Amino acid sequence: MDKLAILGGTPIRKDYLPYGRQNIDEEDIKVIVDTLKSDYLTTGPKVKEFEEKIAKYVGAKYAVALSNGTAALHAACYAAGIGEGDEVITTPLTFAASANCVLYLGGTPVFADIDPKTYNIDVEDIERKITDKTKAIIPVDYTGQAVDLDKIMELAKKYNLIVIEDSAHAIGTEYKDKKVGSIADMTEFSFHPVKHITTGEGGVITTNDKDLYEKLILFRTHGITRDSDLMTDNNQGSWYYEQLDLGFNYRITDFQCALGISQLNKLDDFIHRRRELVNIYNDKLSKMDGVITPYESKDSNSSWHLYVIQLELEKFNGDRKEIFEALKAENIGVNVHYIPVHLHPYYKKLGYEKGLCPVAERVYEGIITLPLHPSMKNEDLDDVIMALEKVLDYYRK
């Protein structure tokens, strides 16, 4: 067996393979340049066009584009009326923004544990965590797999709660043959460079509720409106506007949305390639002792933002850290998604403790994210498999 690179051996790859990356072509560059040469740089016609195309793609009535995914979650919590004393239930196995957005408005995140197979939020534990202070649920489509939306929406109806689906990982994902983005009260998507499509930074909220839509629009632009139907004084000139609430400057630019439109035209091809790569991963890794491949519910057709394996650490002499660093030394850009939110020092200062979500904590100890993006070639995937075999064989008991 070749010597591990971390011990001085030759790496499997000469160049580093990142776990995720944007896929930008000449067409994308051209539309950005064309927009930069136009009359609009910030909010203009491309923003509206992007919103309309996103709404049509997911099957929602409305879409509101914002400066990033976190801003979109913040706006959704505002539109949901989250405030001091309100509790919002979410998952710990997510990026911190899924919970931080609740804190921004004075609410309290409540963490329900995860399902040990899907790694999505456990619906039964959601119901156990509901109190008379609960106002909303923020389920996360982890790695791109849809949460059990039917059960979550039933719970929301039963307890009069709002559902904000965090689909930062899941544009293009289908739940029971219907795209996410059209089912929950509000759905958030992210367009960070490692996501399915990118606007550099950017996010969007989709909804079928006109009242929520109007609140989102208001929040995005300082709480200011020029809509005569919303203003208190309609007898002023065309220059007139009113601030109706305390909003933020969460606007997205026209050239970002021009890129988003171009990327959206390629989204289905990107997803097709991601699914091809996942099928190869599943086929090869299902035969590898000590590796658990991702489980996918029959109700979800994932668009696969991330490919996360679980190591059966009892079968290895090394721990996850040693295996992780050894893979990176082979120039494989592995990552870990995510550190459970309640284990971060900031959340510990707020009173959250280890042991709160034992399944999420156990899963976290053994997960590793492998590279997955549509620009990957089959040969790149083969390098990942070879590196994984090399490293795991070294550490295997």
Side-chain angles (χ1 to χ4, degrees), residues 35 40-44 46-47 66-67 199 201 251-258:
T35 306
Y40 293 91
L41 290 185
T42 187
T43 308
K46 291 298 178 184
V47 175
L66 299 101
S67 53
T199 55
E201 286 279 4
R251 293 172 297 190
I252 192 170
T253 66
D254 243 37
F255 58 87
Q256 285 177 287
C257 287

Side-chain angles (χ1 to χ4, degrees), residues 279-296:
N279 287 337
I280 298 170
Y281 265 140
N282 285 343
D283 179 60
K284 295 191 174 184
L285 293 180
S286 62
K287 305 178 183 75
M288 193 176 294
D289 188 38
V291 174
I292 300 173
T293 55
Y295 171 87
E296 186 173 17

Side-chain angles (χ1 to χ4, degrees), residues 46-335:
K46 291 298 178 184
V47 175
K48 185 66 174 175
E49 183 182 351
F50 184 50
E51 290 172 337
E52 289 172 350
K53 287 183 180 294
I54 288 284
K56 182 178 179 181
Y57 182 83
V58 303
K61 290 181 180 179
Y62 309 102
V64 179
L66 299 101
S67 53
N68 54 66
T70 303
L73 285 170
H74 188 186
C77 285
Y78 162 83
I82 305 303
E84 294 284 345
D86 292 331
E87 294 179 350
V88 179
I89 299 172
T90 191
T91 173
L93 197 63
T94 184
F95 185 62
S98 307
N100 289 350
C101 59
V102 180
L103 295 176
Y104 296 156
L105 290 159
T108 301
V110 174
F111 296 103
D113 213 341
I114 63 170
D115 180 279
K117 291 169 68 176
T118 65
Y119 305 158
N120 275 334
I121 194 166
D122 182 338
V123 180
E124 292 183 2
D125 202 35
I126 293 176
E127 186 161 23
R128 285 192 289 268
K129 300 291 174 67
I130 292 173
T131 71
D132 58 1
K133 295 181 180 179
T134 308
K135 189 145 190 181
I137 307 168
I138 303 180
V140 177
D141 300 319
Y142 179 72
T143 74
Q145 176 164 202
V147 294
D148 193 338
L149 281 162
D150 280 353
K151 289 184 179 178
I152 289 173
M153 296 307 290
E154 285 173 13
L155 267 186
K157 185 177 180 180
K158 179 179 177 181
Y159 292 99
N160 193 30
L161 307 175
I162 289 180
V163 177
I164 303 168
E165 185 180 4
D166 183 343
S167 293
H169 295 186
I171 192 165
T173 289
E174 294 154 356
Y175 175 78
K176 295 185 177 179
D177 300 321
K178 190 174 183 179
K179 280 191 170 65
V180 298
S182 61
I183 303 168
D185 297 303
M186 289 178 278
T187 304
E188 175 264 344
F189 298 106
S190 169
F191 307 123
H192 182 276
V194 298
K195 301 301 198 307
H196 297 81
I197 62 173
T198 187
T199 55
E201 286 279 4
V204 75
I205 292 287
T206 60
T207 184
N208 293 316
D209 188 308
K210 186 178 180 183
D211 289 339
L212 293 174
Y213 169 71
E214 290 176 347
K215 289 176 182 178
L216 293 164
I217 290 288
L218 197 67
F219 190 73
R220 176 178 67 181
T221 314
H222 303 281
I224 288 173
T225 186
R226 293 179 183 271
D227 187 337
S228 59
D229 291 335
L230 299 178
M231 291 192 298
T232 60
D233 186 349
N234 294 322
N235 296 317
Q236 302 294 327
S238 59
W239 52 268
Y240 187 70
Y241 60 86
E242 292 181 347
Q243 181 178 340
L244 302 180
D245 209 339
L246 184 62
F248 286 73
N249 180 1
Y250 278 161
R251 293 172 297 190
I252 192 170
T253 66
D254 243 37
F255 58 87
Q256 285 177 287
C257 287
L259 174 58
I261 293 164
S262 181
Q263 288 265 295
L264 190 59
N265 291 335
K266 297 182 273 278
L267 175 56
D268 287 342
D269 289 336
F270 290 164
I271 292 172
H272 177 74
R273 180 56 179 159
R274 285 175 177 273
R275 287 171 176 162
E276 282 184 339
L277 291 166
V278 166
N279 287 337
I280 298 170
Y281 265 140
N282 285 343
D283 179 60
K284 295 191 174 184
L285 293 180
S286 62
K287 305 178 183 75
M288 193 176 294
D289 188 38
V291 174
I292 300 173
T293 55
Y295 171 87
E296 186 173 17
S297 163
K298 62 179 176 57
D299 293 331
S300 173
N301 186 17
S302 178
S303 56
W304 290 105
H305 165 49
L306 299 173
Y307 189 83
V308 177
I309 61 170
Q310 178 80 25
L311 297 177
E312 297 178 282
L313 291 172
E314 68 275 10
K315 296 183 177 181
F316 302 100
N317 288 312
D319 59 18
R320 194 259 308 269
K321 178 183 176 182
E322 291 174 280
I323 293 169
F324 182 93
E325 298 300 342
L327 287 167
K328 287 196 73 174
E330 301 294 339
N331 278 326
I332 304 300
V334 288
N335 210 323

